[in-house]
Amino acid sequence: MAEYTNLEKIRLEKIQKLREDGIEPYPNRAERTHTSKQAIRAFEKSEKERLEEPLTVTIAGRLRSIRPMGRIIFAHIEDGEGHIQLFFRENDLGKESLKFFNKWFDLGDFIQARGTLFRTRTGEVTLRVQEYEMLVKAITPLPAAKDEVIDGDIVRHATLADPETRYRQRYADLAVNPDVREVFRKRAAILRALREFFDERGFLEVETPILQPIYGGAAARPFITHHNQLKQDLYLRISFELYLKRLLVGNLERVYEIGRDFRNEGFSYKHNPEFTQLEFYWAYADYFQVMTLTEEMIGFVAERVLGEKILTFQGNRINLKAPWQRIELRQGLIDVVGVDIKEHLSADSLRAVMKAKDMEPSPIATRGKLIDSMVGTYLEPTLIQPTFVYNYPRDISPLAKSIPGDHWTVERFEGFIGGMELCNAFTELNDPLDQESRFLEMGRDYNADDEERHPMDEDYLQALRYGMPPTGGFGMGIDRLVMLLTDQHSIRDVILFPHLRNRED
RNA sequence: GGGCGCGUAGCUCAAUGGUAGAGCAGUGGCCUUUUAAGCCAUUGGUUGCAGGUUCGAUCCCUGUCGCGCUCACCA
């Protein structure tokens, strides 16, 4: 049972009294002829055409401010597209009707109003209300103190700022913070642009299983669930990779999927346990071609969403125009920490030189993990402008193809923007025998009970034995791309309902 | 998981080892073109939760819950 605050009790009482008077505070049906924006546009058009007849419209929305001034009342309502001012006048409505509004309506209620449009002395297009009706009585007041209209924009004073409430009650956050709505509109535009980009280039959008008997394609701990009838444990996917590549075996030469991945790991400003991923696989391409396509893709999305390839992220001006900077991983680490990984082909040797350079290498990490941690700690934060780091260590890339003649390195790159890893791609390993030995290698590098261990996927190997064309593959966290294009510091600000701990107090 | 910080009215924030205050919102009144409208009056709090120290705790201490930052973790 909800416990009501005093403010809520007052509104509950209003609901009861309205019903006693035969007025339904939650009517089944509403009516509107114009949104706020449409109404204003229609009025401006009629002004231009010098129409004599006043324009009559019915609008509906949430009451965001009320300014009673005796026998008149000004109010603003907000709908999905904007806001518009209502003008209630005793001369138009009669004494009772004006009083009724004053008495029973509160900020946050939904109202439907019919009337004619005019311009006030201050020039604002306003609805002169002739009839109005309550659509919804809000019980809880919106967590915002007051609105001010400056140059036609609503400015909110003392608006909801507490991050916890904003994430837990996203509905309230959205209702009260228009820029939050804007972030999610942009997110939708980004997804639309990505689909357009791949559709235009002959990529087929597909859907692969989220519930998987064997997880794979990434190093991450999975969520485990259970199918009752099958009496079988299933995993929520940690990547799409192994299923999408099966499709290339099946002669679908260009595929992509946009969907949710789940990783049972800690969260941070750039990690949420479920997140949206884009992966694509492109037959007869290699990782350098994928790099070029990546530049095009990100540029295309930015054009669509921002109108240009320049953006500001956390105070940095970022230029997305191709070509992006390309740094070979080995050279990047030589430049940043002065370590040449080619001279340290064992984990122990690498650990020794890292210690000598005052780093604190993990005592159990593999060579590849040590290299990756140096990249993450020293190189990644410096990569503000779009950069591809390429040629990664083999032992952390079990699904990527080796560089011919180089046992230690694979054809793989990661893309960084704004000091943040954005995407990961490689020339896909399509040699089933090599793949099998890589799986076995991984099995040796991890303990049997380590959930990050890459499990052997026999069916995937079977697929490869039929033959997978040479392929370039790519994965990107969409949430991070949205962060970048909307200048949001935290992944929680680009996910509508980010995961938070349960409250038990 | 570790470290640091935060949690006070519906919202945004103050405050003190002596029992909590402002603006807005709310309530009552005045006001027929306002723009954070204005003016007068007024209600509102188990200070996240549970303990402890103290004559007395919102403040000090311990634990706990949640959030934030950070480190670890994160092919």
Side-chain angles (χ1 to χ4, degrees):
Chain A
M1 264 315 259
E3 278 185 29
Y4 291 106
T5 64
N6 290 335
L7 295 181
E8 289 169 332
K9 282 175 190 157
I10 290 165
R11 291 175 176 216
L12 284 166
E13 220 170 283
K14 288 182 182 176
I15 289 175
Q16 199 191 331
K17 285 183 179 156
L18 281 166
R19 288 209 167 115
E20 282 167 9
D21 288 349
I23 291 158
E24 175 50 50
Y26 301 96
N28 286 36
R29 265 161 270 284
E31 212 185 285
R32 88 171 160 184
T33 61
H34 293 68
T35 64
S36 58
K37 204 189 244 175
Q38 287 166 346
I40 290 166
R41 280 201 187 135
F43 178 76
E44 284 168 347
K45 187 162 170 260
S46 79
E47 273 183 327
K48 257 182 217 156
E49 292 166 0
R50 298 171 181 285
L51 295 184
E52 294 288 317
E53 280 292 297
L55 207 55
T56 298
V57 299
T58 304
I59 57 179
R62 194 197 287 275
L63 274 167
R64 290 312 314 267
S65 69
I66 303 173
R67 295 181 296 282
M69 308 185 57
R71 296 196 166 80
I72 60 167
I73 300 166
F74 284 96
H76 271 98
I77 63 165
E78 185 171 28
D79 62 17
E81 292 186 353
H83 51 92
I84 190 168
Q85 183 166 251
L86 305 182
F87 176 60
F88 299 80
R89 193 168 63 150
E90 194 179 283
N91 291 8
D92 300 326
L93 291 160
K95 210 168 185 172
E96 285 307 306
S97 176
L98 194 83
K99 253 175 126 175
F100 182 89
F101 179 82
N102 246 337
K103 189 161 182 187
W104 301 112
F105 278 82
D106 291 294
L107 294 181
D109 294 350
F110 283 83
I111 188 174
Q112 165 183 316
R114 180 174 177 78
T116 54
L117 294 165
F118 74 108
R119 244 179 229 284
T120 61
R121 273 179 205 162
T122 52
E124 182 166 351
V125 178
T126 299
L127 184 79
R128 186 189 305 276
V129 178
Q130 279 143 4
E131 311 164 20
Y132 66 88
E133 189 184 335
M134 183 173 288
L135 291 181
V136 173
K137 185 76 199 154
I139 294 170
T140 307
L142 288 175
K146 192 161 246 192
D147 289 353
E148 178 186 9
V149 178
I150 295 176
D151 298 332
D153 291 321
I154 287 188
V155 176
R156 236 128 248 176
H157 297 274
T159 198
L160 180 66
D162 172 40
E164 186 174 349
T165 313
R166 287 190 46 229
Y167 301 144
R168 286 191 197 280
Q169 301 192 20
R170 183 66 90 181
Y171 34 89
D173 185 32
L174 287 164
V176 136
N177 290 320
D179 34 329
V180 175
R181 294 199 289 262
E182 196 45 41
V183 167
F184 290 101
R185 288 207 177 91
K186 272 194 182 154
R187 184 178 174 121
I190 289 164
L191 288 168
R192 224 168 16 244
L194 284 169
R195 289 198 160 95
E196 186 183 339
F197 181 85
F198 286 105
D199 292 345
E200 268 177 4
R201 283 161 182 76
F203 284 79
L204 183 72
E205 181 171 11
V206 297
E207 293 172 284
T208 60
I210 291 173
L211 294 175
Q212 303 182 345
I214 299 175
Y215 59 94
R221 290 159 63 188
F223 287 94
I224 303 172
T225 186
H226 187 78
H227 190 289
N228 288 341
Q229 193 186 345
L230 297 178
K231 294 191 171 67
Q232 179 190 10
D233 280 343
L234 292 167
Y235 303 96
L236 301 188
R237 68 181 172 192
I238 57 173
S239 88
F240 322 154
E241 175 148 3
L242 298 181
Y243 279 97
L244 290 177
K245 286 197 284 193
R246 282 171 168 93
L247 299 178
L248 275 90
V249 173
N251 274 17
L252 296 175
E253 292 183 348
R254 297 178 185 193
V255 296
Y256 75 98
E257 179 166 5
I258 292 173
R260 216 62 71 80
D261 271 344
F262 306 85
R263 297 188 183 175
N264 206 339
E265 285 160 0
F267 7 132
S268 77
Y269 72 96
K270 50 183 177 177
H271 297 271
N272 194 62
E274 58 180 295
F275 60 99
T276 301
Q277 179 87 350
L278 160 73
E279 290 189 24
F280 73 77
Y281 293 86
W282 180 15
Y284 309 111
D286 70 358
Y287 72 141
F288 285 114
Q289 287 165 283
V290 172
M291 266 187 219
T292 304
L293 192 68
T294 302
E295 289 167 342
E296 269 179 55
M297 169 183 66
I298 301 295
F300 177 86
V301 172
E303 285 278 1
R304 274 296 142 91
V305 176
L306 305 175
E308 56 176 352
K309 289 182 183 167
I310 308 274
L311 61 90
T312 299
F313 180 67
Q314 304 298 295
N316 290 307
R317 196 177 154 81
I318 290 172
N319 186 345
L320 298 172
K321 278 182 196 126
W324 296 1
Q325 189 179 194
R326 299 184 180 194
I327 301 177
E328 187 168 15
L329 189 153
R330 178 187 164 210
Q331 189 59 47
L333 286 181
I334 290 172
D335 293 346
V336 184
V337 292
V339 173
D340 184 352
I341 56 173
K342 207 161 189 178
E343 290 174 2
H344 304 281
L345 297 179
S346 74
D348 286 337
S349 161
L350 190 59
R351 236 189 306 274
V353 68
M354 286 173 72
K355 277 184 190 154
K357 302 245 175 210
D358 285 334
M359 294 180 232
E360 289 170 11
S362 153
I364 51 162
T366 63
R367 174 176 180 270
K369 283 197 164 190
L370 291 172
I371 292 169
D372 200 48
S373 76
M374 282 192 285
V375 170
T377 310
Y378 302 102
L379 189 54
E380 180 171 337
T382 69
L383 304 177
I384 304 299
Q385 296 304 319
T387 305
F388 294 119
V389 176
Y390 63 98
N391 293 352
Y392 273 67
R394 184 177 184 274
D395 77 75
I396 52 167
S397 315
L399 300 163
K401 216 164 183 173
S402 292
I403 290 178
D406 184 346
H407 172 76
W408 299 96
T409 316
V410 293
E411 297 193 356
R412 172 179 170 195
F413 73 82
E414 292 189 330
F416 298 86
I417 304 182
M420 186 166 65
E421 181 193 330
L422 189 69
C423 60
N424 178 26
F426 31 88
T427 305
E428 301 296 336
L429 178 55
N430 61 348
D431 173 344
L433 303 178
D434 190 5
Q435 184 67 76
E436 183 167 11
S437 66
R438 300 278 199 102
F439 278 154
L440 290 170
E441 225 173 89
M442 290 304 288
R444 280 197 298 276
D445 287 343
Y446 290 84
N447 294 323
D449 58 351
D450 187 338
E451 285 175 330
E452 270 179 37
R453 192 169 62 103
H454 217 284
M456 177 73 79
D457 189 334
E458 285 294 350
D459 182 72
Y460 177 65
L461 291 172
Q462 177 57 53
L464 289 189
R465 283 184 212 116
Y466 281 109
M468 182 176 85
T471 296
F474 171 94
M476 174 171 70
I478 299 291
D479 309 281
R480 293 192 186 170
L481 179 66
V482 178
M483 287 166 69
L484 198 67
L485 295 178
T486 57
D487 195 16
Q488 297 297 312
H489 167 71
S490 170
I491 198 168
R492 295 184 193 107
D493 290 315
V494 301
I495 292 174
L496 279 167
F497 299 100
H499 195 76
L500 299 180
R501 286 172 205 277
N502 282 339
R503 291 210 79 144
E504 301 164 22
D505 48 4

PDB file of all heavy atoms in Angstrom, chain A residues 6 18 27 43 53 126 128 130 136 150 159 164 186 203 228 243 271 293 328 335 352 379 413:
ATOM      1  N   ASN A   6       1.178  14.581   2.318  1.00  0.00           N
ATOM      2  CA  ASN A   6       0.086  15.545   2.534  1.00  0.00           C
ATOM      3  C   ASN A   6      -0.386  16.143   1.217  1.00  0.00           C
ATOM      4  O   ASN A   6      -1.579  16.342   1.011  1.00  0.00           O
ATOM      5  CB  ASN A   6       0.551  16.659   3.466  1.00  0.00           C
ATOM      6  CG  ASN A   6       0.734  16.153   4.881  1.00  0.00           C
ATOM      7  OD1 ASN A   6       0.102  15.150   5.263  1.00  0.00           O
ATOM      8  ND2 ASN A   6       1.586  16.793   5.640  1.00  0.00           N
ATOM      9  N   LEU A  18     -14.711  15.399  -6.677  1.00  0.00           N
ATOM     10  CA  LEU A  18     -15.126  15.506  -8.077  1.00  0.00           C
ATOM     11  C   LEU A  18     -16.113  14.394  -8.415  1.00  0.00           C
ATOM     12  O   LEU A  18     -17.149  14.625  -9.043  1.00  0.00           O
ATOM     13  CB  LEU A  18     -13.902  15.408  -9.007  1.00  0.00           C
ATOM     14  CG  LEU A  18     -13.063  16.676  -9.151  1.00  0.00           C
ATOM     15  CD1 LEU A  18     -11.717  16.363  -9.794  1.00  0.00           C
ATOM     16  CD2 LEU A  18     -13.808  17.738  -9.957  1.00  0.00           C
ATOM     17  N   PRO A  27     -11.559  10.329 -17.368  1.00  0.00           N
ATOM     18  CA  PRO A  27     -12.493   9.930 -18.423  1.00  0.00           C
ATOM     19  C   PRO A  27     -11.843   8.990 -19.427  1.00  0.00           C
ATOM     20  O   PRO A  27     -10.629   9.027 -19.606  1.00  0.00           O
ATOM     21  CB  PRO A  27     -12.871  11.260 -19.085  1.00  0.00           C
ATOM     22  CG  PRO A  27     -11.745  12.171 -18.779  1.00  0.00           C
ATOM     23  CD  PRO A  27     -11.232  11.766 -17.433  1.00  0.00           C
ATOM     24  N   PHE A  43      -2.166  28.837 -36.452  1.00  0.00           N
ATOM     25  CA  PHE A  43      -2.500  30.231 -36.151  1.00  0.00           C
ATOM     26  C   PHE A  43      -1.596  31.190 -36.913  1.00  0.00           C
ATOM     27  O   PHE A  43      -2.057  32.176 -37.481  1.00  0.00           O
ATOM     28  CB  PHE A  43      -2.388  30.494 -34.649  1.00  0.00           C
ATOM     29  CG  PHE A  43      -2.686  31.922 -34.289  1.00  0.00           C
ATOM     30  CD1 PHE A  43      -4.001  32.373 -34.276  1.00  0.00           C
ATOM     31  CD2 PHE A  43      -1.665  32.817 -33.996  1.00  0.00           C
ATOM     32  CE1 PHE A  43      -4.292  33.688 -33.969  1.00  0.00           C
ATOM     33  CE2 PHE A  43      -1.954  34.142 -33.693  1.00  0.00           C
ATOM     34  CZ  PHE A  43      -3.267  34.572 -33.682  1.00  0.00           C
ATOM     35  N   GLU A  53     -11.961  34.827 -39.674  1.00  0.00           N
ATOM     36  CA  GLU A  53     -12.519  33.877 -38.710  1.00  0.00           C
ATOM     37  C   GLU A  53     -11.447  33.446 -37.718  1.00  0.00           C
ATOM     38  O   GLU A  53     -10.369  33.033 -38.128  1.00  0.00           O
ATOM     39  CB  GLU A  53     -13.041  32.638 -39.440  1.00  0.00           C
ATOM     40  CG  GLU A  53     -14.408  32.829 -40.066  1.00  0.00           C
ATOM     41  CD  GLU A  53     -15.493  32.982 -39.023  1.00  0.00           C
ATOM     42  OE1 GLU A  53     -15.696  32.010 -38.257  1.00  0.00           O
ATOM     43  OE2 GLU A  53     -16.115  34.052 -38.938  1.00  0.00           O
ATOM     44  N   THR A 126      -1.885  32.016 -27.962  1.00  0.00           N
ATOM     45  CA  THR A 126      -2.558  31.552 -26.757  1.00  0.00           C
ATOM     46  C   THR A 126      -3.954  31.073 -27.109  1.00  0.00           C
ATOM     47  O   THR A 126      -4.590  31.597 -28.013  1.00  0.00           O
ATOM     48  CB  THR A 126      -2.641  32.724 -25.748  1.00  0.00           C
ATOM     49  OG1 THR A 126      -1.313  33.140 -25.410  1.00  0.00           O
ATOM     50  CG2 THR A 126      -3.379  32.344 -24.488  1.00  0.00           C
ATOM     51  N   ARG A 128      -7.704  30.936 -26.194  1.00  0.00           N
ATOM     52  CA  ARG A 128      -8.763  31.524 -25.359  1.00  0.00           C
ATOM     53  C   ARG A 128      -9.782  30.416 -25.103  1.00  0.00           C
ATOM     54  O   ARG A 128     -10.521  29.997 -25.988  1.00  0.00           O
ATOM     55  CB  ARG A 128      -9.425  32.687 -26.092  1.00  0.00           C
ATOM     56  CG  ARG A 128     -10.441  33.459 -25.257  1.00  0.00           C
ATOM     57  CD  ARG A 128     -11.214  34.450 -26.101  1.00  0.00           C
ATOM     58  NE  ARG A 128     -10.366  35.388 -26.831  1.00  0.00           N
ATOM     59  CZ  ARG A 128      -9.876  36.518 -26.310  1.00  0.00           C
ATOM     60  NH1 ARG A 128     -10.152  36.857 -25.077  1.00  0.00           N
ATOM     61  NH2 ARG A 128      -9.113  37.302 -27.041  1.00  0.00           N
ATOM     62  N   GLN A 130     -12.783  28.156 -24.276  1.00  0.00           N
ATOM     63  CA  GLN A 130     -14.240  28.245 -24.200  1.00  0.00           C
ATOM     64  C   GLN A 130     -14.839  27.066 -23.440  1.00  0.00           C
ATOM     65  O   GLN A 130     -15.835  27.207 -22.750  1.00  0.00           O
ATOM     66  CB  GLN A 130     -14.835  28.340 -25.608  1.00  0.00           C
ATOM     67  CG  GLN A 130     -14.762  29.764 -26.148  1.00  0.00           C
ATOM     68  CD  GLN A 130     -14.470  29.826 -27.631  1.00  0.00           C
ATOM     69  OE1 GLN A 130     -14.396  28.791 -28.297  1.00  0.00           O
ATOM     70  NE2 GLN A 130     -14.280  31.025 -28.144  1.00  0.00           N
ATOM     71  N   VAL A 136      -6.980  13.830 -16.728  1.00  0.00           N
ATOM     72  CA  VAL A 136      -6.320  13.003 -15.716  1.00  0.00           C
ATOM     73  C   VAL A 136      -6.017  13.868 -14.508  1.00  0.00           C
ATOM     74  O   VAL A 136      -5.462  14.955 -14.646  1.00  0.00           O
ATOM     75  CB  VAL A 136      -4.975  12.442 -16.235  1.00  0.00           C
ATOM     76  CG1 VAL A 136      -4.222  11.733 -15.116  1.00  0.00           C
ATOM     77  CG2 VAL A 136      -5.182  11.493 -17.403  1.00  0.00           C
ATOM     78  N   ILE A 150      11.106  31.656 -21.410  1.00  0.00           N
ATOM     79  CA  ILE A 150      12.064  32.649 -21.892  1.00  0.00           C
ATOM     80  C   ILE A 150      12.215  32.440 -23.387  1.00  0.00           C
ATOM     81  O   ILE A 150      12.618  31.363 -23.820  1.00  0.00           O
ATOM     82  CB  ILE A 150      13.429  32.504 -21.192  1.00  0.00           C
ATOM     83  CG1 ILE A 150      13.271  32.809 -19.705  1.00  0.00           C
ATOM     84  CG2 ILE A 150      14.445  33.447 -21.831  1.00  0.00           C
ATOM     85  CD1 ILE A 150      14.532  32.604 -18.906  1.00  0.00           C
ATOM     86  N   THR A 159      14.654  21.937 -10.814  1.00  0.00           N
ATOM     87  CA  THR A 159      14.066  20.744 -11.382  1.00  0.00           C
ATOM     88  C   THR A 159      14.697  19.496 -10.774  1.00  0.00           C
ATOM     89  O   THR A 159      15.697  19.574 -10.083  1.00  0.00           O
ATOM     90  CB  THR A 159      14.236  20.773 -12.913  1.00  0.00           C
ATOM     91  OG1 THR A 159      13.338  19.861 -13.491  1.00  0.00           O
ATOM     92  CG2 THR A 159      15.664  20.429 -13.284  1.00  0.00           C
ATOM     93  N   GLU A 164      19.466   9.370  -8.452  1.00  0.00           N
ATOM     94  CA  GLU A 164      18.775   8.139  -8.071  1.00  0.00           C
ATOM     95  C   GLU A 164      17.289   8.200  -8.438  1.00  0.00           C
ATOM     96  O   GLU A 164      16.739   7.281  -9.048  1.00  0.00           O
ATOM     97  CB  GLU A 164      18.937   7.894  -6.568  1.00  0.00           C
ATOM     98  CG  GLU A 164      18.368   6.555  -6.177  1.00  0.00           C
ATOM     99  CD  GLU A 164      18.635   6.191  -4.740  1.00  0.00           C
ATOM    100  OE1 GLU A 164      19.445   6.886  -4.092  1.00  0.00           O
ATOM    101  OE2 GLU A 164      18.042   5.214  -4.279  1.00  0.00           O
ATOM    102  N   LYS A 186      17.165  11.262 -29.862  1.00  0.00           N
ATOM    103  CA  LYS A 186      18.395  11.100 -30.640  1.00  0.00           C
ATOM    104  C   LYS A 186      18.811   9.640 -30.690  1.00  0.00           C
ATOM    105  O   LYS A 186      19.296   9.154 -31.706  1.00  0.00           O
ATOM    106  CB  LYS A 186      19.528  11.936 -30.023  1.00  0.00           C
ATOM    107  CG  LYS A 186      19.568  13.347 -30.551  1.00  0.00           C
ATOM    108  CD  LYS A 186      20.874  14.030 -30.182  1.00  0.00           C
ATOM    109  CE  LYS A 186      20.885  15.469 -30.676  1.00  0.00           C
ATOM    110  NZ  LYS A 186      21.779  16.312 -29.870  1.00  0.00           N
ATOM    111  N   PHE A 203      23.178  -5.219 -46.437  1.00  0.00           N
ATOM    112  CA  PHE A 203      23.265  -6.069 -45.250  1.00  0.00           C
ATOM    113  C   PHE A 203      21.857  -6.473 -44.826  1.00  0.00           C
ATOM    114  O   PHE A 203      20.919  -5.670 -44.887  1.00  0.00           O
ATOM    115  CB  PHE A 203      23.950  -5.328 -44.099  1.00  0.00           C
ATOM    116  CG  PHE A 203      25.445  -5.229 -44.255  1.00  0.00           C
ATOM    117  CD1 PHE A 203      26.008  -4.281 -45.096  1.00  0.00           C
ATOM    118  CD2 PHE A 203      26.280  -6.089 -43.562  1.00  0.00           C
ATOM    119  CE1 PHE A 203      27.386  -4.187 -45.238  1.00  0.00           C
ATOM    120  CE2 PHE A 203      27.664  -6.006 -43.696  1.00  0.00           C
ATOM    121  CZ  PHE A 203      28.216  -5.059 -44.536  1.00  0.00           C
ATOM    122  N   ASN A 228      12.190 -24.604 -17.727  1.00  0.00           N
ATOM    123  CA  ASN A 228      11.592 -25.617 -16.850  1.00  0.00           C
ATOM    124  C   ASN A 228      11.289 -26.914 -17.579  1.00  0.00           C
ATOM    125  O   ASN A 228      11.624 -27.994 -17.103  1.00  0.00           O
ATOM    126  CB  ASN A 228      10.311 -25.077 -16.217  1.00  0.00           C
ATOM    127  CG  ASN A 228      10.619 -24.028 -15.176  1.00  0.00           C
ATOM    128  OD1 ASN A 228      11.749 -23.952 -14.670  1.00  0.00           O
ATOM    129  ND2 ASN A 228       9.632 -23.212 -14.861  1.00  0.00           N
ATOM    130  N   TYR A 243      26.632 -16.913 -33.651  1.00  0.00           N
ATOM    131  CA  TYR A 243      25.435 -17.188 -34.453  1.00  0.00           C
ATOM    132  C   TYR A 243      25.472 -16.448 -35.783  1.00  0.00           C
ATOM    133  O   TYR A 243      25.090 -16.989 -36.812  1.00  0.00           O
ATOM    134  CB  TYR A 243      24.168 -16.826 -33.669  1.00  0.00           C
ATOM    135  CG  TYR A 243      23.774 -17.914 -32.698  1.00  0.00           C
ATOM    136  CD1 TYR A 243      24.140 -17.850 -31.361  1.00  0.00           C
ATOM    137  CD2 TYR A 243      23.067 -19.036 -33.130  1.00  0.00           C
ATOM    138  CE1 TYR A 243      23.802 -18.857 -30.478  1.00  0.00           C
ATOM    139  CE2 TYR A 243      22.720 -20.056 -32.258  1.00  0.00           C
ATOM    140  CZ  TYR A 243      23.085 -19.963 -30.926  1.00  0.00           C
ATOM    141  OH  TYR A 243      22.755 -20.964 -30.067  1.00  0.00           O
ATOM    142  N   HIS A 271      29.380   0.933 -18.215  1.00  0.00           N
ATOM    143  CA  HIS A 271      28.928  -0.463 -18.245  1.00  0.00           C
ATOM    144  C   HIS A 271      27.557  -0.602 -17.608  1.00  0.00           C
ATOM    145  O   HIS A 271      27.357  -0.174 -16.479  1.00  0.00           O
ATOM    146  CB  HIS A 271      29.888  -1.358 -17.449  1.00  0.00           C
ATOM    147  CG  HIS A 271      31.272  -1.416 -17.990  1.00  0.00           C
ATOM    148  ND1 HIS A 271      31.664  -2.333 -18.923  1.00  0.00           N
ATOM    149  CD2 HIS A 271      32.362  -0.659 -17.746  1.00  0.00           C
ATOM    150  CE1 HIS A 271      32.945  -2.156 -19.220  1.00  0.00           C
ATOM    151  NE2 HIS A 271      33.393  -1.129 -18.527  1.00  0.00           N
ATOM    152  N   LEU A 293      34.747   1.102 -43.552  1.00  0.00           N
ATOM    153  CA  LEU A 293      33.293   1.126 -43.433  1.00  0.00           C
ATOM    154  C   LEU A 293      32.863   1.753 -42.095  1.00  0.00           C
ATOM    155  O   LEU A 293      31.855   2.460 -42.014  1.00  0.00           O
ATOM    156  CB  LEU A 293      32.725  -0.299 -43.551  1.00  0.00           C
ATOM    157  CG  LEU A 293      31.213  -0.366 -43.732  1.00  0.00           C
ATOM    158  CD1 LEU A 293      30.803   0.183 -45.101  1.00  0.00           C
ATOM    159  CD2 LEU A 293      30.691  -1.799 -43.582  1.00  0.00           C
ATOM    160  N   GLU A 328      49.248   1.364 -34.890  1.00  0.00           N
ATOM    161  CA  GLU A 328      49.470  -0.041 -34.595  1.00  0.00           C
ATOM    162  C   GLU A 328      49.668  -0.170 -33.085  1.00  0.00           C
ATOM    163  O   GLU A 328      50.376   0.624 -32.467  1.00  0.00           O
ATOM    164  CB  GLU A 328      50.694  -0.564 -35.347  1.00  0.00           C
ATOM    165  CG  GLU A 328      50.827  -2.058 -35.166  1.00  0.00           C
ATOM    166  CD  GLU A 328      51.823  -2.697 -36.107  1.00  0.00           C
ATOM    167  OE1 GLU A 328      52.619  -1.964 -36.716  1.00  0.00           O
ATOM    168  OE2 GLU A 328      51.784  -3.938 -36.214  1.00  0.00           O
ATOM    169  N   ASP A 335      55.093   4.247 -27.815  1.00  0.00           N
ATOM    170  CA  ASP A 335      54.999   5.703 -27.651  1.00  0.00           C
ATOM    171  C   ASP A 335      54.536   6.090 -26.247  1.00  0.00           C
ATOM    172  O   ASP A 335      55.020   7.056 -25.679  1.00  0.00           O
ATOM    173  CB  ASP A 335      54.003   6.279 -28.672  1.00  0.00           C
ATOM    174  CG  ASP A 335      54.527   6.143 -30.102  1.00  0.00           C
ATOM    175  OD1 ASP A 335      55.734   5.862 -30.258  1.00  0.00           O
ATOM    176  OD2 ASP A 335      53.729   6.297 -31.045  1.00  0.00           O
ATOM    177  N   ALA A 352      57.826  -8.434 -16.137  1.00  0.00           N
ATOM    178  CA  ALA A 352      59.081  -7.916 -15.583  1.00  0.00           C
ATOM    179  C   ALA A 352      59.339  -6.490 -16.059  1.00  0.00           C
ATOM    180  O   ALA A 352      59.661  -5.607 -15.262  1.00  0.00           O
ATOM    181  CB  ALA A 352      60.230  -8.834 -15.986  1.00  0.00           C
ATOM    182  N   LEU A 379      46.888   4.063 -23.056  1.00  0.00           N
ATOM    183  CA  LEU A 379      46.657   4.527 -24.422  1.00  0.00           C
ATOM    184  C   LEU A 379      45.233   5.068 -24.593  1.00  0.00           C
ATOM    185  O   LEU A 379      45.031   6.181 -25.078  1.00  0.00           O
ATOM    186  CB  LEU A 379      46.936   3.372 -25.402  1.00  0.00           C
ATOM    187  CG  LEU A 379      46.962   3.714 -26.890  1.00  0.00           C
ATOM    188  CD1 LEU A 379      47.943   4.846 -27.174  1.00  0.00           C
ATOM    189  CD2 LEU A 379      47.326   2.484 -27.716  1.00  0.00           C
ATOM    190  N   PHE A 413      41.173  -4.781 -34.792  1.00  0.00           N
ATOM    191  CA  PHE A 413      41.325  -3.392 -34.350  1.00  0.00           C
ATOM    192  C   PHE A 413      40.211  -3.024 -33.376  1.00  0.00           C
ATOM    193  O   PHE A 413      39.162  -3.661 -33.343  1.00  0.00           O
ATOM    194  CB  PHE A 413      41.326  -2.422 -35.543  1.00  0.00           C
ATOM    195  CG  PHE A 413      39.977  -2.219 -36.208  1.00  0.00           C
ATOM    196  CD1 PHE A 413      39.046  -1.320 -35.687  1.00  0.00           C
ATOM    197  CD2 PHE A 413      39.645  -2.910 -37.371  1.00  0.00           C
ATOM    198  CE1 PHE A 413      37.815  -1.126 -36.304  1.00  0.00           C
ATOM    199  CE2 PHE A 413      38.416  -2.718 -37.994  1.00  0.00           C
ATOM    200  CZ  PHE A 413      37.490  -1.826 -37.455  1.00  0.00           C
TER     201      PHE A 413
END
